[in-house]
Amino acid sequence: REDRRLSNDVFPLNYAIDLEVNVRGHAGAKRSEFNGTVTIYLDIRKPTAIMELHSKELIIDNAKLRESEIFSKPIDVSRISFNPERETISIHMNRTLLPGEMFMLISHTADSLKWMHTDYMRIGWLQIVNWKKTILSRDSKLNASLDSNGPFILASNNFPTGARLWFPCFDESDKKVATFEVQINHPSGLNAYANTDVERIDSIGPGRKLSVFEKTQSLATYQVALSINHLAIQPIEVGGYGKIRLISSKNSHEYTSSQDIGDNRNER
């Protein structure tokens, strides 16, 4: 009966997620894994010297917190504590943050390519540094097949509390106030998909490209979607829904037209 929800002292307003994803069999990768940086723009609602957010099975080295002035010094983070039972980390700071102060939290992995979002240089941020993870399926039978030649499809599964498995966040549905900006460094032979359309694609080295997505509307963390795969996208007009994007393999015939999707929209 213990209440395990996060406090309402701090709310996220925006997440900027930068991921470097390796997919086994592509660009010389021997296993599927990722590391990344998340920048969280924060709303401080009550005085707090300890900030708790969700993180599960992620390797995190350190965190930084910066207030609103562009040339301000980072606020010292004395330590990061981990609570596996609550699936959280706590950021312990050297002073109390007060309501009305603007901060940003950033977390990134040691081996990741790091991009600083210039849009946020004038507001505060908190930086959680260094997380990474090897990707495995929760189905052990699928893990046993990792010696096959693929192809492999990597996809997020955030509902109801899966977001904390791939980036530190406030993983609760009542904190549906944040927008998301996602960019992914991934093998150039694969496509990356997220909630919004791709804004641009940059070549960043042999066998690698950077897919930058448009900013989302306000979402809960369980609504954030991400996939890296070899599949193509097919825009379809669906009555009552507008345009949707269907991603499917060539041998998939479950939905072949907008009529199929429309007929089954109450089931899916």
Side-chain angles (χ1 to χ4, degrees):
R1 296 185 180 182
E2 178 186 357
D3 187 348
R4 297 196 174 188
R5 293 174 294 180
L6 300 179
S7 75
N8 290 322
D9 297 349
V10 180
F11 271 70
L13 296 180
N14 176 274
Y15 292 85
I17 302 173
D18 303 322
L19 291 178
E20 181 182 9
V21 181
N22 294 320
V23 182
R24 198 170 69 81
H26 292 269
K30 295 183 178 180
R31 62 181 182 181
S32 296
E33 59 187 355
F34 65 88
N35 52 49
T37 301
V38 61
T39 304
I40 310 174
Y41 175 30
L42 302 169
D43 177 15
I44 310 300
R45 300 190 177 185
K46 295 181 181 180
T48 182
I50 301 175
M51 188 181 307
E52 185 183 36
L53 61 161
H54 291 106
S55 176
K56 183 179 180 181
E57 301 173 5
L58 298 176
I59 302 172
I60 299 174
D61 284 354
N62 61 77
K64 296 180 181 179
L65 183 73
R66 187 177 293 276
E67 55 187 338
S68 57
E69 296 299 327
I70 186 170
F71 296 115
S72 64
K73 295 181 180 179
I75 294 174
D76 289 337
V77 174
S78 58
R79 65 187 178 94
I80 303 175
S81 59
F82 297 81
N83 190 325
E85 186 177 1
R86 284 179 56 81
E87 300 180 355
T88 63
I89 59 173
S90 293
I91 311 297
H92 300 255
M93 293 158 285
N94 68 335
R95 77 164 177 86
T96 299
L97 309 183
L98 301 176
E101 292 185 297
M102 305 299 287
F103 290 91
M104 212 146 77
L105 164 65
I106 303 181
S107 145
H108 56 131
T109 65
D111 299 326
S112 67
L113 299 181
K114 303 178 181 65
W115 304 277
M116 174 54 90
H117 286 240
T118 55
D119 292 351
Y120 299 124
M121 288 301 289
R122 295 182 181 177
I123 57 180
W125 49 261
L126 170 60
Q127 182 175 37
I128 307 173
V129 183
N130 300 337
W131 90 77
K132 56 186 174 182
K133 186 175 182 179
T134 299
I135 301 172
L136 292 175
S137 171
R138 293 188 176 278
D139 187 336
S140 59
K141 295 180 180 178
L142 297 179
N143 291 333
S145 68
L146 289 181
D147 289 334
S148 67
N149 293 323
F152 301 104
I153 294 176
L154 306 184
S156 59
N157 183 17
N158 288 359
F159 184 83
T161 58
R164 66 190 68 179
L165 286 160
W166 62 280
F167 69 102
C169 58
F170 298 84
D171 198 12
E172 293 179 349
S173 59
D174 65 336
K175 293 179 172 58
K176 187 179 178 180
V177 294
T179 54
F180 290 80
E181 296 174 82
V182 178
Q183 58 184 33
I184 307 170
N185 171 347
H186 61 92
S188 56
L190 299 175
N191 302 314
Y193 299 107
N195 295 78
T196 54
D197 290 328
V198 174
E199 185 176 276
R200 73 175 194 274
I201 298 177
D202 300 330
S203 177
I204 55 175
R208 307 289 300 185
K209 62 183 179 182
L210 178 68
S211 295
V212 181
F213 294 88
E214 296 174 351
K215 185 177 182 179
T216 72
Q217 61 185 1
S218 294
L219 299 173
T221 49
Y222 73 82
Q223 295 175 306
V224 180
L226 173 67
S227 181
I228 299 174
N229 56 60
H230 62 288
L231 305 176
I233 194 168
Q234 177 186 1
I236 295 179
E237 293 286 347
V238 179
Y241 282 95
K243 182 177 289 186
I244 68 169
R245 297 173 296 168
L246 179 65
I247 303 170
S248 62
S249 60
K250 293 181 179 179
N251 62 350
S252 175
H253 302 290
E254 182 179 3
Y255 295 110
T256 57
S257 69
S258 60
Q259 181 64 39
D260 291 338
I261 298 175
D263 291 344
N264 292 275
R265 62 189 177 191
N266 293 326
E267 301 174 10
R268 306 296 289 182

